[in-house]
Amino acid sequence: MLSANSAKATDGYASRREIFGWAMFDFANQAYTLLIITVVFGEVFTTVIVGDRGDNFRLANFLWSLALAVSYLMVVITAPLCGAVMDYRAEKKRFLLISYLATVVTTAMLYFVEPGYVIIGLLLIVLSNYAYSMGESFIASFLPELGPPQSLGKISGFGWALGYIGGLFAAGFTLVVLGEASADNFERIRWVGPFAAGFFLITAIPTFLWLKERGTPQPRGVSYRHIALNRVTTTFHELRHFKDLTVFLISLLFSMAGVYIIIAFAFIYGAQVIGWDESVRNIMFIIVQITAAAGALGFGWIQDQLGAKRTYQMTLALWVLAIIAIWATPEVTQWVNGRFGLQWQAQHVFLVVGCLAGLSLGSSQSASRALVGLFSPLAKSAEFFGFWGLANKLAGVLGIVMLGVLQTLIGLQASILLCVALFVTAMLICARVNERRGREAALAWEANSHINNYKA
């Protein structure tokens, strides 16, 4: 008989309700990404919890990058192992639920981090970001089961777009109710942790109601440790059959290093380099969410027309332009004012740059997730997305540590140009990927797996 993992072929693809339930996890977890990592708590941690110790926040920025790097390194070690177990035992939803609850609890506990409580702040960021990041890989592993290959771009883009809409709702509440990320407003802004946790807890409920576990568990009696080590070791040996996936994951390592730098430091950059007002920072909140959603949806459609690889390359080129614009904003503003007698402020020019960065952010992450889905056999989808998580978070470790160290030497503004080198390197590596060959390799492995199971 056919393998249980062939349910995609026999039972059909997901319903619209199930796809919506899957995408709601992106809607829900964006509150954590935006409020804790990208915007509010990152700024609170660096400027209030640690503060300026006479070094222009360089120690604070380094500690923030260290906490994120440690959490990403933990994902690197464990994501493929968990993916292997999830495929074998058909326990994607169970692992997703565990990561979801762990994220909610540790994020809510950020309320107790007060000025000077640096160690507890570091510990909670490590734990919450680890749990969140694992859940990001777990939810992505459902993607290949949701629709045909020619629709994965739109489905992935819909998820990312809905995520940024969720971030817009979360940001709106924060702006209106909690206020600015400052020492004077600390007693209110400290509630950002419990709010992000509650938002995630409630809005992810449709995911667990409607998303299906399509696999069938293999025979029990084998420990999780044995399953994980045996299957991951086997997959490493089989990677020669998935050459294009391997090359793409190397490209992803460089591109996501740049993306994670921007996610972790963009709003810190706005506060420390651009020197924006609270009102401008709030507008940037909204601009990034809207343009990122538009980028995810728009490039998701483009991907299904032009191909995933070509779309991914286009998004990296967009990132290069965005980073150069971010770096040059203060100098360009000064030059324009002097040349044409204007009185523009760098913070307002930075809002225009934010549109470009938002488009890049939504489109690049959606395209990379869909490309891994195209290259993944269903029987190994969780495991392969575990490797996707490994590449993503190893990228986070490398990128954030490099930026954290570099900015202590030459400052934050000059250090941001590191991202240009990372994106260009990713483009050059991805040029070796053959999308058709990668898709055919996944289909061939799936067909051979079915034949072997039938003979057995």
Side-chain angles (χ1 to χ4, degrees):
M1 59 184 297
L2 294 180
S3 166
N5 288 301
S6 65
K8 176 177 179 181
T10 57
D11 294 345
Y13 299 117
S15 65
R16 291 183 178 180
R17 186 176 72 169
E18 185 179 358
I19 291 174
F20 178 76
W22 174 81
M24 278 301 294
F25 200 83
D26 281 344
F27 180 95
N29 70 14
Q30 187 67 13
Y32 179 86
T33 306
L34 181 67
L35 300 181
I36 304 303
I37 301 301
T38 306
V39 185
V40 180
F41 193 81
E43 189 173 332
V44 170
F45 182 85
T46 55
T47 61
V48 180
I49 305 302
V50 180
D52 184 0
R53 305 193 175 193
D55 60 353
N56 196 27
F57 297 102
R58 293 189 180 188
L59 175 62
N61 291 344
F62 176 75
L63 291 176
W64 179 249
S65 64
L66 180 64
L68 297 182
V70 170
S71 65
Y72 294 146
L73 184 60
M74 292 165 61
V75 176
V76 168
I77 296 171
T78 58
L81 300 175
C82 289
V85 173
M86 288 156 57
D87 282 328
Y88 187 86
R89 290 279 179 87
E91 292 183 347
K92 293 180 184 178
K93 285 187 71 173
R94 179 184 179 188
F95 277 67
L96 182 65
L97 178 64
I98 293 171
S99 69
Y100 153 75
L101 294 176
T103 306
V104 168
V105 171
T106 51
T107 302
M109 291 177 66
L110 291 173
Y111 172 85
F112 300 105
V113 181
E114 299 184 2
Y117 286 27
V118 177
I119 300 301
I120 188 173
L122 287 172
L123 179 62
L124 287 174
I125 285 297
V126 168
L127 294 177
S128 64
N129 195 49
Y130 169 71
Y132 158 79
S133 299
M134 291 295 284
E136 192 177 33
S137 295
F138 298 161
I139 193 67
S141 69
F142 286 90
L143 177 60
E145 304 172 356
L146 299 180
Q150 63 271 22
S151 297
L152 293 188
K154 288 193 288 288
I155 294 173
S156 180
F158 173 68
W160 281 113
L162 197 60
Y164 289 115
I165 293 172
L168 190 60
F169 277 99
F173 177 89
T174 302
L175 297 177
V176 173
V177 178
L178 301 184
E180 64 182 12
S182 66
D184 294 338
N185 189 48
F186 179 74
E187 288 305 315
R188 289 173 65 190
I189 202 62
R190 71 189 301 180
W191 283 94
V192 70
F195 168 69
F199 186 94
F200 191 10
L201 178 67
I202 294 170
T203 57
I205 290 174
T207 301
F208 297 98
L209 290 178
W210 297 332
L211 190 60
K212 296 179 181 178
E213 183 77 64
R214 282 178 163 74
T216 299
Q218 300 300 312
R220 292 186 175 272
V222 183
S223 69
Y224 277 3
R225 176 178 174 275
H226 177 81
I227 295 169
L229 294 178
N230 183 61
R231 286 178 64 98
V232 170
T233 300
T234 301
T235 296
F236 270 118
H237 291 148
E238 293 176 338
L239 282 179
R240 66 182 183 275
H241 299 300
F242 301 99
K243 174 183 176 182
D244 295 286
L245 174 64
T246 303
V247 174
F248 174 69
L249 290 177
I250 296 172
S251 170
L252 189 68
L253 179 66
F254 286 92
S255 66
M256 288 305 298
V259 171
Y260 276 105
I261 287 173
I262 299 303
I263 289 174
F265 283 96
F267 278 72
I268 294 173
Y269 187 96
Q272 296 180 13
V273 177
I274 303 299
W276 56 20
D277 297 332
E278 185 67 20
S279 60
V280 174
R281 171 181 168 273
N282 294 345
I283 294 172
M284 184 66 87
F285 255 140
I286 300 170
I287 284 176
V288 169
Q289 299 310 298
I290 293 175
T291 54
L297 281 175
F299 278 89
W301 180 84
I302 291 172
Q303 176 178 310
D304 290 337
Q305 307 303 313
L306 300 182
K309 173 192 169 180
R310 186 176 299 176
T311 304
Y312 173 71
Q313 294 280 59
M314 291 169 59
T315 66
L316 296 184
L318 197 61
W319 262 125
V320 171
L321 294 176
I323 298 303
I324 293 174
I326 289 172
W327 167 75
T329 293
E331 286 71 21
V332 168
T333 305
Q334 185 178 8
W335 180 84
V336 170
N337 288 343
R339 184 72 174 80
F340 299 101
L342 302 175
Q343 295 184 345
W344 287 359
Q345 295 183 35
Q347 62 178 342
H348 296 143
V349 176
F350 199 55
L351 291 175
V352 180
V353 176
C355 294
L356 187 58
L359 285 172
S360 308
L361 182 65
S363 58
S364 61
Q365 293 184 93
S366 175
S368 69
R369 181 168 68 177
L371 198 52
V372 174
L374 291 173
F375 291 170
S376 298
L378 289 184
K380 285 183 171 289
S381 61
E383 190 174 350
F384 276 25
F385 271 100
F387 282 106
W388 175 75
L390 182 155
N392 270 284
K393 304 316 174 187
L394 182 58
V397 174
L398 296 177
I400 291 174
V401 167
M402 285 192 291
L403 193 284
V405 172
L406 193 60
Q407 63 86 33
T408 64
L409 301 175
I410 62 176
L412 187 55
Q413 183 181 2
S415 300
I416 208 71
L417 288 176
L418 169 66
C419 296
V420 173
L422 292 170
F423 290 128
V424 170
T425 302
M427 292 175 68
L428 294 175
I429 294 172
C430 189
R432 299 180 57 194
V433 173
N434 185 310
E435 182 175 342
R436 173 182 287 184
R437 184 175 61 198
R439 292 174 62 174
E440 290 175 350
L443 293 173
W445 192 96
E446 192 74 32
N448 289 335
S449 175
H450 294 165
I451 291 172
N452 290 335
N453 284 331
Y454 180 80
K455 290 180 177 179

